[in-house]
Amino acid sequence: MKKEQLVILFFFFVAFGFYSCTDGDPIEKEYVTTKSIGLRTTLNKIKADNGIDGRNQPTTFSSCFDFVYPLYLSYNNSTEVTVNSFEGLLTILTNENQSLYIDGISFPFKIASTTNGSITIINGENDFQNTIESCGFTTFNDYIMNGPCYDFVYPFSVINHTNQTVAVSNHNQILDMISEGNGNYILDIVYPFSVVKNNQTVVIQNAYQFFEFNDDCFDPCNCPPIEAPVCVQTSSGLLQFQNECIANCAGFSSADFVNCN
Protein backbone atom coordinates (compact mmCIF):
# COMPACT_ATOMS: atom_id res chain seq x y z
CA MET A 1 0.00 0.00 0.00
CA LYS A 2 2.81 2.36 0.90
CA LYS A 3 4.52 1.64 -2.44
CA GLU A 4 1.30 2.47 -4.34
CA GLN A 5 1.06 5.82 -2.52
CA LEU A 6 4.62 6.66 -3.49
CA VAL A 7 3.86 5.87 -7.14
CA ILE A 8 0.79 8.15 -7.05
CA LEU A 9 2.83 10.96 -5.49
CA PHE A 10 5.54 10.49 -8.12
CA PHE A 11 3.07 10.92 -11.00
CA PHE A 12 1.50 13.93 -9.27
CA PHE A 13 4.82 15.77 -9.09
CA VAL A 14 5.70 14.81 -12.68
CA ALA A 15 2.36 16.19 -13.87
CA PHE A 16 2.87 19.35 -11.80
CA GLY A 17 6.31 19.84 -13.32
CA PHE A 18 4.82 20.01 -16.83
CA TYR A 19 1.98 22.33 -15.83
CA SER A 20 2.15 25.88 -17.07
CA CYS A 21 -0.03 28.90 -16.38
CA THR A 22 -0.95 31.84 -18.54
CA ASP A 23 -1.47 35.58 -18.41
CA GLY A 24 0.86 36.45 -15.59
CA ASP A 25 1.26 33.26 -13.56
CA PRO A 26 4.74 31.66 -13.24
CA ILE A 27 5.48 28.72 -15.54
CA GLU A 28 8.20 26.15 -15.82
CA LYS A 29 11.16 27.28 -17.93
CA GLU A 30 10.40 26.24 -21.50
CA TYR A 31 12.15 29.02 -23.42
CA VAL A 32 14.93 31.58 -23.14
CA THR A 33 14.10 35.23 -22.51
CA THR A 34 16.37 38.21 -23.09
CA LYS A 35 16.30 41.61 -21.41
CA SER A 36 15.01 44.10 -23.94
CA ILE A 37 14.88 47.90 -23.88
CA GLY A 38 12.68 47.61 -26.97
CA LEU A 39 10.15 45.63 -24.95
CA ARG A 40 10.17 48.11 -22.06
CA THR A 41 9.65 50.95 -24.56
CA THR A 42 6.67 49.16 -26.12
CA LEU A 43 5.12 48.30 -22.75
CA ASN A 44 5.47 51.93 -21.69
CA LYS A 45 3.57 52.97 -24.83
CA ILE A 46 0.81 50.43 -24.13
CA LYS A 47 0.47 51.67 -20.54
CA ALA A 48 0.19 55.27 -21.73
CA ASP A 49 -2.39 54.41 -24.41
CA ASN A 50 -4.54 52.52 -21.90
CA GLY A 51 -4.33 54.93 -18.98
CA ILE A 52 -2.48 52.47 -16.73
CA ASP A 53 -0.96 54.10 -13.62
CA GLY A 54 -3.18 57.11 -14.24
CA ARG A 55 -1.36 58.08 -17.43
CA ASN A 56 -3.21 59.94 -20.11
CA GLN A 57 -0.50 61.21 -22.38
CA PRO A 58 -1.54 62.86 -25.66
CA THR A 59 -0.15 61.08 -28.71
CA THR A 60 -0.11 62.06 -32.35
CA PHE A 61 -0.01 58.45 -33.52
CA SER A 62 -1.38 55.05 -32.65
CA SER A 63 0.48 51.78 -32.32
CA CYS A 64 1.37 50.42 -35.76
CA PHE A 65 1.50 46.79 -34.59
CA ASP A 66 -0.04 44.30 -32.19
CA PHE A 67 1.71 41.37 -30.60
CA VAL A 68 0.75 37.93 -31.91
CA TYR A 69 0.02 35.72 -28.92
CA PRO A 70 1.13 33.68 -27.08
CA LEU A 71 3.95 35.92 -25.91
CA TYR A 72 6.72 34.67 -23.62
CA LEU A 73 7.98 37.24 -21.12
CA SER A 74 10.01 37.38 -17.92
CA TYR A 75 10.07 39.55 -14.80
CA ASN A 76 13.13 41.26 -13.38
CA ASN A 77 13.40 38.45 -10.79
CA SER A 78 13.69 35.91 -13.67
CA THR A 79 10.16 34.53 -13.18
CA GLU A 80 8.85 33.63 -16.63
CA VAL A 81 5.27 34.01 -17.82
CA THR A 82 3.30 33.30 -20.95
CA VAL A 83 0.60 35.71 -22.11
CA ASN A 84 -2.24 34.49 -24.32
CA SER A 85 -4.11 37.74 -24.95
CA PHE A 86 -3.89 41.53 -24.95
CA GLU A 87 -6.21 41.58 -21.95
CA GLY A 88 -3.79 39.33 -20.08
CA LEU A 89 -0.92 41.68 -20.93
CA LEU A 90 -2.89 44.66 -19.59
CA THR A 91 -3.47 42.80 -16.34
CA ILE A 92 0.26 42.17 -15.97
CA LEU A 93 1.10 45.82 -16.71
CA THR A 94 -1.51 47.06 -14.26
CA ASN A 95 0.11 45.03 -11.48
CA GLU A 96 3.70 46.11 -12.18
CA ASN A 97 5.70 48.10 -9.66
CA GLN A 98 9.32 49.12 -9.08
CA SER A 99 10.05 45.85 -7.29
CA LEU A 100 8.46 43.55 -9.87
CA TYR A 101 8.16 44.42 -13.54
CA ILE A 102 8.54 42.84 -16.99
CA ASP A 103 11.97 43.27 -18.56
CA GLY A 104 12.53 40.27 -20.86
CA ILE A 105 11.03 38.61 -23.93
CA SER A 106 11.67 35.43 -25.89
CA PHE A 107 12.90 35.93 -29.46
CA PRO A 108 11.72 35.33 -32.08
CA PHE A 109 8.13 36.52 -31.76
CA LYS A 110 5.52 37.78 -34.20
CA ILE A 111 3.72 41.09 -34.62
CA ALA A 112 0.76 41.99 -36.80
CA SER A 113 0.43 45.29 -38.65
CA THR A 114 -2.57 47.32 -37.47
CA THR A 115 -2.85 48.69 -41.00
CA ASN A 116 -3.13 45.54 -43.12
CA GLY A 117 -2.71 42.65 -40.68
CA SER A 118 0.54 41.46 -42.26
CA ILE A 119 2.72 39.33 -39.96
CA THR A 120 6.36 40.16 -39.24
CA ILE A 121 8.81 37.99 -37.32
CA ILE A 122 11.01 39.88 -34.85
CA ASN A 123 14.19 37.84 -34.60
CA GLY A 124 16.17 39.95 -32.15
CA GLU A 125 16.63 43.27 -30.38
CA ASN A 126 17.81 45.08 -33.52
CA ASP A 127 14.63 44.09 -35.38
CA PHE A 128 12.55 45.16 -32.40
CA GLN A 129 14.20 48.55 -32.06
CA ASN A 130 13.98 49.28 -35.78
CA THR A 131 10.24 48.51 -35.66
CA ILE A 132 9.73 50.78 -32.65
CA GLU A 133 11.62 53.64 -34.27
CA SER A 134 9.60 53.32 -37.48
CA CYS A 135 6.38 53.41 -35.43
CA GLY A 136 7.42 56.57 -33.62
CA PHE A 137 7.21 55.27 -30.05
CA THR A 138 8.67 57.57 -27.39
CA THR A 139 12.11 56.24 -26.46
CA PHE A 140 14.93 57.30 -24.14
CA ASN A 141 16.40 59.08 -27.19
CA ASP A 142 13.31 61.31 -27.38
CA TYR A 143 13.33 62.12 -23.68
CA ILE A 144 16.99 63.13 -23.83
CA MET A 145 16.80 65.09 -27.10
CA ASN A 146 13.58 66.91 -26.24
CA GLY A 147 14.99 68.44 -23.08
CA PRO A 148 14.46 66.38 -19.92
CA CYS A 149 13.21 67.94 -16.68
CA TYR A 150 16.34 66.78 -14.84
CA ASP A 151 20.13 66.87 -15.13
CA PHE A 152 22.31 63.79 -15.37
CA VAL A 153 25.06 63.34 -12.81
CA TYR A 154 28.23 62.67 -14.80
CA PRO A 155 30.07 60.48 -15.47
CA PHE A 156 27.98 57.38 -16.12
CA SER A 157 27.95 54.67 -18.79
CA VAL A 158 25.65 53.95 -21.71
CA ILE A 159 25.38 51.12 -24.21
CA ASN A 160 25.95 52.42 -27.73
CA HIS A 161 24.61 51.24 -31.11
CA THR A 162 27.41 48.65 -31.42
CA ASN A 163 26.46 47.20 -28.00
CA GLN A 164 29.60 48.55 -26.34
CA THR A 165 29.61 50.11 -22.89
CA VAL A 166 30.93 53.67 -23.09
CA ALA A 167 31.46 56.25 -20.34
CA VAL A 168 30.00 59.71 -20.98
CA SER A 169 30.95 62.94 -19.26
CA ASN A 170 28.55 65.48 -20.78
CA HIS A 171 25.23 65.91 -22.58
CA ASN A 172 26.79 66.47 -26.01
CA GLN A 173 28.40 63.03 -25.90
CA ILE A 174 24.98 61.46 -25.44
CA LEU A 175 23.57 63.43 -28.38
CA ASP A 176 26.52 62.34 -30.51
CA MET A 177 25.88 58.68 -29.67
CA ILE A 178 22.24 59.01 -30.66
CA SER A 179 23.23 60.54 -33.99
CA GLU A 180 25.85 57.80 -34.55
CA GLY A 181 23.06 55.24 -34.39
CA ASN A 182 21.18 57.06 -37.19
CA GLY A 183 17.94 56.72 -35.25
CA ASN A 184 18.05 52.92 -35.58
CA TYR A 185 18.69 52.03 -31.96
CA ILE A 186 17.38 53.02 -28.55
CA LEU A 187 19.91 54.42 -26.10
CA ASP A 188 20.22 52.26 -23.00
CA ILE A 189 22.01 53.14 -19.80
CA VAL A 190 24.07 51.15 -17.32
CA TYR A 191 22.26 51.13 -13.98
CA PRO A 192 22.32 52.55 -11.41
CA PHE A 193 23.00 56.20 -12.27
CA SER A 194 21.88 59.48 -10.73
CA VAL A 195 19.96 62.54 -11.87
CA VAL A 196 19.15 65.86 -10.21
CA LYS A 197 15.61 67.24 -10.28
CA ASN A 198 14.41 70.23 -8.27
CA ASN A 199 17.78 70.29 -6.48
CA GLN A 200 17.31 66.71 -5.30
CA THR A 201 19.49 63.78 -6.37
CA VAL A 202 17.59 60.67 -7.43
CA VAL A 203 19.25 57.29 -8.02
CA ILE A 204 17.73 55.46 -11.01
CA GLN A 205 17.99 51.71 -10.46
CA ASN A 206 16.52 50.26 -13.67
CA ALA A 207 14.81 50.97 -17.00
CA TYR A 208 11.34 50.62 -15.49
CA GLN A 209 12.07 53.37 -12.97
CA PHE A 210 13.68 55.57 -15.64
CA PHE A 211 10.59 55.37 -17.86
CA GLU A 212 8.36 56.15 -14.88
CA PHE A 213 10.60 59.08 -13.98
CA ASN A 214 10.51 60.49 -17.51
CA ASP A 215 6.75 60.04 -17.78
CA ASP A 216 6.38 62.35 -14.80
CA CYS A 217 8.44 65.05 -16.51
CA PHE A 218 6.89 68.19 -17.83
CA ASP A 219 7.96 69.81 -21.09
CA PRO A 220 10.02 72.84 -19.98
CA CYS A 221 9.75 74.35 -23.45
CA ASN A 222 6.07 73.52 -23.99
CA CYS A 223 6.82 72.65 -27.61
CA PRO A 224 3.90 71.84 -29.92
CA PRO A 225 3.88 68.25 -31.31
CA ILE A 226 4.12 69.41 -34.92
CA GLU A 227 6.23 67.66 -37.55
CA ALA A 228 8.56 70.29 -39.01
CA PRO A 229 12.00 68.62 -38.81
CA VAL A 230 15.18 70.62 -38.39
CA CYS A 231 18.70 69.17 -38.39
CA VAL A 232 22.01 69.94 -36.75
CA GLN A 233 25.38 68.69 -37.96
CA THR A 234 27.43 67.25 -35.09
CA SER A 235 30.92 65.80 -35.07
CA SER A 236 29.41 62.32 -35.30
CA GLY A 237 26.67 62.89 -37.83
CA LEU A 238 23.34 64.55 -38.54
CA LEU A 239 20.96 65.06 -35.62
CA GLN A 240 17.27 65.52 -36.49
CA PHE A 241 14.66 67.13 -34.22
CA GLN A 242 10.91 67.02 -34.61
CA ASN A 243 10.71 70.82 -34.87
CA GLU A 244 12.68 74.00 -34.20
CA CYS A 245 11.27 74.49 -30.71
CA ILE A 246 12.58 71.10 -29.58
CA ALA A 247 15.98 71.80 -31.14
CA ASN A 248 16.13 75.13 -29.30
CA CYS A 249 15.23 73.32 -26.09
CA ALA A 250 18.16 70.96 -26.62
CA GLY A 251 20.50 73.95 -26.79
CA PHE A 252 20.74 74.62 -30.54
CA SER A 253 19.86 77.84 -32.37
CA SER A 254 18.79 78.53 -35.95
CA ALA A 255 22.45 79.28 -36.72
CA ASP A 256 23.21 75.59 -36.11
CA PHE A 257 20.56 74.25 -38.51
CA VAL A 258 21.54 72.55 -41.76
CA ASN A 259 19.62 70.94 -44.60
CA CYS A 260 18.16 67.63 -43.40
CA ASN A 261 18.66 66.10 -46.86
Side-chain angles (χ1 to χ4, degrees):
M1 181 69 178
K2 197 169 185 179
K3 189 177 293 185
E4 291 176 353
Q5 290 176 334
L6 289 174
V7 170
I8 292 172
L9 283 173
F10 171 78
F11 281 108
F12 170 79
F13 284 114
V14 168
F16 182 79
F18 284 103
Y19 174 74
S20 67
C21 298
T22 61
D23 291 346
D25 294 326
I27 69 169
E28 292 298 313
K29 190 166 186 176
E30 300 171 349
Y31 47 82
V32 176
T33 58
T34 304
K35 287 189 176 182
S36 167
I37 189 64
L39 173 67
R40 199 60 248 175
T41 303
T42 303
L43 298 183
N44 197 60
K45 172 70 166 64
I46 293 173
K47 293 178 83 165
D49 287 350
N50 290 273
I52 295 175
D53 290 344
R55 301 178 198 175
N56 186 20
Q57 298 179 351
T59 57
T60 57
F61 53 85
S62 58
S63 297
C64 66
F65 69 84
D66 293 320
F67 287 118
V68 175
Y69 299 92
L71 199 62
Y72 304 106
L73 307 175
S74 59
Y75 283 92
N76 59 303
N77 66 355
S78 299
T79 299
E80 296 182 338
V81 296
T82 183
V83 185
N84 280 335
S85 67
F86 182 67
E87 290 72 21
L89 180 60
L90 291 182
T91 298
I92 289 174
L93 297 182
T94 300
N95 292 319
E96 283 188 316
N97 56 62
Q98 289 194 20
S99 298
L100 190 64
Y101 55 88
I102 295 294
D103 71 351
I105 190 168
S106 178
F107 294 101
F109 61 89
K110 296 178 181 179
I111 59 174
S113 168
T114 55
T115 302
N116 56 27
S118 61
I119 301 297
T120 301
I121 297 176
I122 304 298
N123 287 302
E125 185 68 6
N126 287 340
D127 284 352
F128 202 2
Q129 293 194 14
N130 287 339
T131 299
I132 288 169
E133 288 290 344
S134 66
C135 286
F137 289 7
T138 300
T139 67
F140 287 163
N141 299 16
D142 299 310
Y143 289 128
I144 292 168
M145 290 175 62
N146 292 355
C149 64
Y150 51 83
D151 295 313
F152 288 108
V153 176
Y154 297 98
F156 63 94
S157 296
V158 302
I159 301 172
N160 67 12
H161 64 289
T162 60
N163 205 35
Q164 295 177 315
T165 300
V166 180
V168 294
S169 57
N170 58 65
H171 188 67
N172 285 337
Q173 276 186 272
I174 302 177
L175 295 178
D176 285 345
M177 285 186 182
I178 294 173
S179 66
E180 286 173 3
N182 296 317
N184 294 323
Y185 92 110
I186 302 170
L187 182 73
D188 201 2
I189 301 176
V190 177
Y191 302 93
F193 66 95
S194 298
V195 298
V196 176
K197 181 180 180 182
N198 298 329
N199 296 320
Q200 292 187 329
T201 300
V202 179
V203 179
I204 306 296
Q205 299 287 353
N206 51 62
Y208 176 88
Q209 183 186 357
F210 194 34
F211 266 118
E212 296 284 306
F213 191 79
N214 277 286
D215 288 335
D216 289 336
C217 270
F218 63 93
D219 180 1
C221 296
N222 195 28
C223 293
I226 59 173
E227 285 290 341
V230 297
C231 292
V232 174
Q233 183 67 51
T234 71
S235 59
S236 301
L238 201 65
L239 205 58
Q240 180 171 307
F241 296 88
Q242 184 177 351
N243 56 55
E244 182 175 351
C245 176
I246 294 174
N248 293 156
C249 195
F252 298 101
S253 69
S254 57
D256 300 311
F257 298 160
V258 297
N259 193 318
C260 286
N261 295 323

